Structure formats: structure tokens, C-alpha cells
Amino acid sequence: MTITAERLAPPRTTNAAIWVSDVEALCRPDSVEWIVDEADIRERLTARLIEAGTIFKLNPDLRPNSYLARSTEDDVARVEGRTFICTPTKDAAGPNNNWRDPVDMRSELLELFSGSMTGRVMYVIPFSMGPEDSPFAQYGIQITDSAYVALSMLTMTRSTARLRERLTAGAPFVAALHSVGYPLHDDSGASRSDVAWPSNSRKYICHFPQLDEIWSFGSGYGGNALLGKKCFALRIASHMGRKQGWMAEHMLLIRVTSPKGKKYHLVAAFPSACGKTNLAMLQPSMPGWKVETLGDDIVWMRLDEQGQLRAMNPENGFFGVAPGTSTKTNPVAMETVSRDTIFTNVALTPEGDVWWEGMTKRAPSMLTDWLGNAWTPESGTPAAHPNSRFTSPVANCPTVCEDWEAPEGVVVDGIIFGGRRADTAPLVAQAYDWEHGVLMGATIVSERTAAAEGTVGELRPDPFAMSPFLGYSLTEHWLHWLEIGEQISADAKPEIFHVNWFRKAEDGSFAWPGFGENIRVIDWMIRRIESQRTHVADRANSDFHVDLGERVQYTPAGIVPETGAVDTEGFTPEQVASLEAAVKVDEQEWRRELERQQAYLEGYGTSVPLELHTALAKLRGLLK
Ligand code: GTP
Ligand code: SPV
Ligand code: MN
């Protein structure tokens, strides 16, 4: 069968068998294998990857059922510059996205994918984002010529034989096509041998929201290649959600239980490598508190019949940042990755275990670095790549909620936005109302991290931490948030906060110890949530040992705790002093910040919802 632009053009196919055979005809692999999450299939993929030199088995006594993969130097992070949203008009993709005309893009991709899988196995992976029978669930089929990607997909998503049957029987799906772009034979009949990490210097990560299609070419790494994650669960899903009245956000999801046993569910949106996994696995430093994990990167939210906002993590695995993870900063992650884990681009110890910067105070004296070279602490280069990652099943997380797969999700009590910012943004601020909260999300700025190509440390706007992940125009997204807010019933409206764990003290160190101590900030937030809900006269029944809920300041940054309102029990006087510096709202900084926000909104002209200008004007009124 020949593939033409028309053949794959709208209306999109919902016939899995036809799509798979079309792709086979286009990409010309040696063979086709359907893959689901079953032990013998995992074993087969693993054996092939070991033979190809893509992964190495780690010492099973130290790290059972775990592997190390090494990519090439030019395939280590998401490629935002090569990521495209292909909507009928440029406006629909918005100023936040690279746009390509869908017909033009399609014909370019057809050329690239033509014969792109020669000499390889084409894997077909039916998968569900969200538990298969949940009202949140959306299905996909990923086709890939990478066994590493196929194996990772079995951890990151849910892939069952039953789902395969459903899909071949006609259930609608997102069609996610991936090729590393390293065919082993060309049209002239010439052949080349395979390499351990095949990729292509021409990379394309393309989304067709109108067709529910993803075409990814040239990269085998993370969000570029595990298409259920950023491509589907954020870019395509955010577009679906806009049309259908739900939300797909770059968020973690936790359950916090107070010392009195009351449960709260919080979501938090931070840009890439800004602390989601760590907050999702927080081990409280304050006695009596419990934090349980529901998700660490993506949350889908929808309204229920009572007008409550319900949230669910659509993923089945963690693809977490390795560097900085230690038994001190994140013991829960350390336990999660103690088995059944694929590590990518970390260093290897002589004993056959893994290591990365920050894992131990002192580096081992001898390692093999992420590129496979001998390494010592004198080498002067990082042993693990800054964006090295672990792929582990959510179910292995010791703090995962027992009911994390409950089909109905959980009711959201609080929404947190945040970024990585050395100055201006205080440790925590509460929004005055929903509209101000939406402004907080819209005006997030954060330092660039190693999670994507670009200059690390550079400050950039990252509205809702979704800048690289939104499948449509950002001002439409702000409007969507305002519209959802209006539909939430008044007594179930989540409180909105902004946090900054990364404010710097004058000596350049972090002003706030972060990690497990972040529970002190959560404690304050929950008191704010309660004080919003509970009448002052009923405060005697309140959940808190000391009611500090009202000791606040009304500032242009939002409602912030007064000195003493954040619990500092057990802190040294120095720590108390640095807390004061961390919560401070500086008048001059905020005069500049509100000007920046104003200019930022004005940059998007009349497409910015009026409510955001009104919220900003109210803040300006709070400047002295
Ligand atoms: P993505 O998976 O890219 O979306 O990242 P993420 O938002 O899940 O970030 P993650 O939790 O992996 O943290 C990234 C880096 O920030 C790690 O090196 C952490 O050690 C560091 N980090 C996380 N939380 C804190 C904190 O509270 N304080 C400080 N100082 N660093 C933190
Ligand atoms: C991120 O960059 O936000 C990630 C890693 O979670 S990736 O899956 O590569 O997008
Ligand atoms: Mn992420």
C-alpha cells in the first residue's frame, strides 16, 4: 500500500489495524511486534537491548532488575526548538509554540519516515493514560523502532492485552509514531550496522491536535520519544481538555494528612527540574504530618457533578531527575529507584551500581562517566549528565497512596505555582482570589534548567510551567483557567499559592533549606485553606495546635505569612533569620515585578483576558 499525504490526512483513522499497516508500509521495518506489559515481553526487549549495547545490567545484589542506558552527547534532553504544533492556523498554536502548516509538515514527515525503520523491529504499544476504566482515561498507540523506548513505555504507561483488544476492536486512540531515524538499509541497497544509541541530527517532535496524532523523529530521549508523556498527556491532552472542558497540567499531586488526621490534596505546577518529584515524595520534618504520592509530573483535572475539581495522575511511572537525589534530599525516591529501574546517562561504579552528582557528599574515587569514559573527581566534568534520569514504576514508591489508581481521582484543595528564582518571589504567597491565582500562574518566570536545550540559569517566562507543553495558545489557556474557576462551586474552590524554594541569600546560598522542611510551608497553606473555610467562631474545632492562620500581610505579591506564622519549631536562630529573608516582599523588587508583569501581559495584546489586567491593577494598588 502506498502512503500519500491524502491517505493519512483527515478524517483521522480510528482503525488501529489500518494505521499500523499504513505505518509499516511507510517505514518498512523488518518485522512488526505488538508489545504489552508482560514478563516474557520485557525479558525479550531487555535481552535485545543488552545485546545491542544500549543498556547494561546493574549488579543485581545492589540494584535488582535495573539497567543503565547511555545516550549520545547530542541526544540528552527535550528539543524545544524542534517541537511543533501543527494546527490549521498559526494563531491556534499561539505565540508560545513553533507552528507549521499541517499539510506541509505532513509531507515533510512522510519523506523522513519513508524507509526510516529498515533493518529494525517496529514495536506497537497500546497504552492507556490513566487507569483503563477511569473516566479520566485516554488511550494511545505508540509505534517505535526503539526497544529502549518500547521498554520504557511499559513502565511509564499502562499497556495490557485487554487494552490491545479494545483498540483493535475500534476504541479511539491517539496515534503516536516515533522513529529514531537511523535506518539500517537505504534505497540503493547499501547497509550499515547499528549503533548502541541510534538517533538522527534532524529532529522533529510534531503534534497534530486536530487529528490526535504525534510524529516524533530523530531522538530517543525522554519527552522527545516517550510519547505518552509530554506529547500526549500535555500537548495533545491540553488541546482535548480545552475543547471538552477539562485540564492537562504540568503538575505533581499529593495527599497531605495533618497531625489530626485530616486529608488534603494539593497539586503543584513547577517548571522542569524545579522540584515536582521532590515535593511529590516529601518526607515531613515536622512530627505528625504525612505526605503521600499520587503523581510527580502530570495531572489531569475535571469537574465532577458536585462542582468539585478532581485530579488524577495519568502516568504509571516516574521519569525523574537523578542529580541532586540523595537519601538526605529525597529518601523516598532513593527507595523507589532501588530496583526495577532504567537509569539513563548516570555514572557507573566499579561495583556495578549507579552514581550521580549529589547522591553522596563525596564522589567515589573511580567511576565510568555517563559517556562511558573513566572518571575521577579530578576529571573536572560531571560524572552524570545534569539531565540524567531514572525510569521507575509509580507502584514501587514507598509513599504512593494505596488508592492512587482510584478511577474517580481526588478532590483538589489547593493549587501551587512556583519557579526557580534567585530574588523577588517570596517563599510563599497566597492569591487573593481565583483571578489573582490565574495571574500568578500566567506570570511565572523561572531559571532555565538542563531538562531542555538552552542556557542553564537564564530567566524566562514559563506560564503555568506549561510553556513547552501547551498544545494551543497561552492566552486561551488563561481563559480556560478562568472559565473552569467559574464552574467550581464556591465551597469547593481550591486556594491558590505561589512558592519559591530557590530564593538566594546575600551570600549566594539558598535562603530556605527546602525538601522536607517544605512541610512548614504546606502547614501554613493548609491553615490558610482552613481559615478560608471555617468561620472564625468555629476556630475552636480547628485542626491546628496553634492557630496562626490570620497572622498575614497583604502585599503586592499576595497574602504572605507574618514573622512567626510559619512554624519554626526546632529551627536554629540562623534558620529563623533566613526564613525571614525568604518570606520578605521587597517594595522596590515588586514595583519592578509588577511593571514586568504588565509589560508581559501587554505583549500579548487584546487576547489577554481582562480579569488578569484587573487582578494586576489591584496589586498595583497595594504598592506604597
Ligand atoms: P521534571 O521531571 O524535569 O519535570 O523536574 P521536577 O520538577 O520533578 O524537579 P525535581 O524534583 O526532580 O528537582 C530538580 C532539582 O531541584 C533536583 O536537583 C533537586 O534536588 C532540586 N530541588 C528539588 N526540591 C528542592 C528544594 O526544595 N530546595 C532546593 N534547594 N532544591 C530542590
Ligand atoms: C520535563 O522536562 O519536564 C520532564 C522530562 O519531565 S521529559 O520527559 O524529558 O520532558
Ligand atoms: Mn516535567
Side-chain angles (χ1 to χ4, degrees):
M1 186 185 306
T2 45
I3 303 281
T4 61
E6 293 74 50
R7 179 90 178 83
L8 287 174
R12 60 174 280 248
T13 176
T14 52
N15 186 312
I18 292 181
W19 181 62
V20 171
S21 74
D22 278 359
V23 172
E24 184 186 0
L26 174 69
C27 302
R28 302 197 300 276
D30 274 7
S31 60
V32 177
E33 286 181 25
W34 282 77
I35 297 297
V36 293
D37 190 14
E38 285 167 2
D40 56 328
I41 292 177
R42 277 184 180 259
E43 272 165 34
R44 191 166 78 221
L45 291 171
T46 306
R48 279 183 198 162
L49 284 163
I50 290 174
E51 205 196 309
T54 312
I55 66 173
F56 307 86
K57 193 170 176 62
L58 295 168
N59 184 337
D61 296 331
L62 303 172
R63 204 65 68 169
N65 191 29
S66 297
Y67 301 88
L68 167 62
R70 290 191 190 123
S71 79
T72 48
E73 254 175 303
D74 56 354
D75 196 18
V76 292
R78 282 183 295 101
V79 283
E80 293 180 7
R82 305 299 307 161
T83 301
F84 299 89
I85 303 293
C86 308
T87 42
T89 65
K90 186 169 172 16
D91 275 359
N96 43 305
N97 281 307
N98 301 313
W99 175 80
R100 287 289 306 269
D101 174 78
V103 176
D104 291 351
M105 189 76 252
R106 173 60 64 75
S107 42
E108 201 173 327
L109 289 168
L110 284 171
E111 240 166 73
L112 278 175
F113 277 85
S114 171
S116 73
M117 298 185 183
T118 56
R120 299 188 179 284
V121 180
M122 179 176 117
Y123 298 100
V124 184
I125 309 131
F127 65 94
S128 177
M129 300 312 293
E132 221 172 294
D133 296 310
S134 160
F136 283 85
Q138 300 284 343
Y139 303 154
I141 301 178
Q142 174 153 353
I143 293 180
T144 178
D145 55 4
S146 159
Y148 164 84
V149 169
L151 186 63
S152 303
M153 283 294 289
L154 298 186
T155 296
M156 294 306 297
T157 70
R158 298 170 172 88
S159 178
T160 63
R162 178 165 160 256
L163 180 65
R164 177 189 166 167
E165 273 167 38
R166 277 189 178 181
L167 288 167
T168 45
F173 62 94
V174 170
L177 173 55
H178 171 251
S179 173
V180 292
Y182 197 94
L184 298 179
H185 312 300
D186 69 15
D187 289 341
S188 69
S191 292
R192 57 176 168 180
S193 49
D194 205 359
V195 290
W197 187 274
S199 68
N200 193 308
S201 57
R202 263 183 99 181
K203 294 180 173 50
Y204 276 104
I205 320 296
C206 300
H207 308 73
F208 296 83
Q210 276 69 25
L211 306 175
D212 288 344
E213 274 180 29
I214 302 157
W215 294 60
S216 164
F217 185 87
S219 166
Y221 203 86
N224 296 335
L226 311 175
L227 303 186
K229 199 173 176 60
K230 303 299 160 117
C231 297
F232 179 165
L234 288 177
R235 297 194 191 98
I236 296 287
S238 62
H239 179 268
M240 288 177 169
R242 174 64 181 140
K243 274 195 312 193
Q244 300 165 8
W246 53 280
M247 307 166 106
E249 300 291 335
H250 191 204
M251 288 175 158
L252 64 93
L253 174 58
I254 52 177
R255 172 177 301 159
V256 182
T257 309
S258 73
K260 289 229 173 123
K262 191 157 177 194
K263 292 180 169 46
Y264 303 84
H265 294 102
L266 305 177
V267 293
F270 307 154
S272 300
C274 289
K276 287 183 301 301
T277 302
N278 278 270
L279 187 58
M281 299 179 179
L282 183 143
Q283 286 294 88
S285 65
M286 292 195 328
W289 288 85
K290 185 159 120 186
V291 173
E292 290 169 284
T293 312
L294 288 141
D296 84 323
D297 197 53
I298 297 177
V299 168
W300 288 354
M301 293 185 283
R302 53 172 71 225
L303 290 154
D304 66 12
E305 272 141 33
Q306 287 80 46
Q308 308 176 106
L309 192 61
R310 285 187 171 271
M312 140 95 50
N313 164 23
E315 297 192 280
N316 190 48
F318 303 119
F319 184 64
V321 178
T325 310
S326 71
T327 48
K328 252 194 150 154
T329 57
N330 193 346
V332 176
M334 290 305 281
E335 204 175 318
T336 306
V337 305
S338 67
R339 63 200 150 98
D340 311 327
T341 295
I342 305 170
F343 297 90
T344 306
N345 289 346
V346 303
L348 180 69
T349 70
E351 296 76 36
D353 200 5
V354 289
W355 191 84
W356 49 76
E357 276 68 22
M359 179 169 161
T360 52
K361 218 170 185 172
R362 287 197 18 223
S365 56
M366 245 173 53
L367 290 168
T368 307
D369 73 9
W370 67 279
L371 287 163
N373 301 319
W375 184 96
T376 69
E378 286 73 48
S379 295
T381 51
H385 187 275
N387 191 39
S388 55
R389 299 225 169 211
F390 53 80
T391 306
S392 308
V394 173
N396 277 17
C397 176
T399 55
V400 72
C401 286
E402 204 179 36
D403 57 343
W404 75 283
E405 302 193 274
E408 68 282 6
V410 296
V411 176
V412 177
D413 299 292
I415 298 172
I416 308 170
F417 296 116
R420 185 183 281 264
R421 206 168 170 187
D423 52 40
T424 311
L427 177 64
V428 60
Q430 181 188 9
Y432 291 106
D433 51 28
W434 185 269
E435 289 73 19
H436 178 213
V438 175
L439 179 70
M440 278 178 168
T443 55
I444 292 177
V445 286
S446 193
E447 292 164 23
R448 272 186 192 275
T449 65
E453 286 186 333
T455 314
V456 170
E458 183 186 53
L459 207 64
R460 70 153 177 181
D462 191 352
F464 287 84
M466 280 290 278
S467 172
F469 306 124
L470 188 67
Y472 60 98
S473 175
L474 81 176
T475 50
E476 272 291 304
H477 185 228
W478 303 347
L479 193 61
H480 189 48
W481 268 81
L482 292 167
E483 287 174 3
I484 294 277
E486 271 169 27
Q487 294 169 57
I488 303 174
S489 84
D491 57 349
K493 216 166 225 181
E495 289 300 308
I496 303 181
F497 302 87
H498 186 283
V499 301
N500 180 16
W501 307 146
F502 300 94
R503 200 169 186 183
K504 296 264 177 79
E506 269 164 21
D507 67 357
S509 64
F510 288 120
W512 174 248
F515 303 105
E517 301 294 1
N518 291 335
I519 191 67
R520 297 176 193 267
V521 176
I522 291 176
D523 165 44
W524 182 78
M525 288 178 192
I526 285 177
R527 276 186 272 128
R528 291 301 302 167
I529 291 170
E530 284 293 341
S531 79
Q532 212 71 27
R533 286 180 184 169
T534 321
H535 193 270
V536 181
D538 294 331
R539 211 48 69 72
N541 307 321
S542 132
D543 201 37
F544 300 99
H545 54 296
V546 202
D547 186 2
L548 304 165
E550 295 304 317
R551 284 208 265 153
V552 294
Q553 281 184 323
Y554 298 91
T555 80
I559 304 170
V560 301
E562 258 182 11
T563 311
V566 173
D567 194 328
T568 52
E569 172 121 26
F571 263 17
T572 63
E574 291 76 43
Q575 281 176 309
V576 174
S578 69
L579 167 67
E580 277 168 30
V583 294
K584 189 165 178 272
V585 175
D586 182 88
E587 176 79 11
Q588 283 315 314
E589 281 182 338
W590 274 85
R591 195 171 287 281
R592 275 199 301 275
E593 172 62 13
L594 295 187
E595 276 165 23
R596 182 198 71 79
Q597 294 189 7
Q598 168 102 14
Y600 176 67
L601 295 188
E602 280 168 0
Y604 297 115
T606 51
S607 67
V608 174
L610 212 57
E611 287 88 336
L612 299 192
H613 283 293
T614 310
L616 187 56
K618 281 192 200 157
L619 300 182
R620 234 180 283 118
L622 292 165
L623 287 168
K624 290 193 190 92

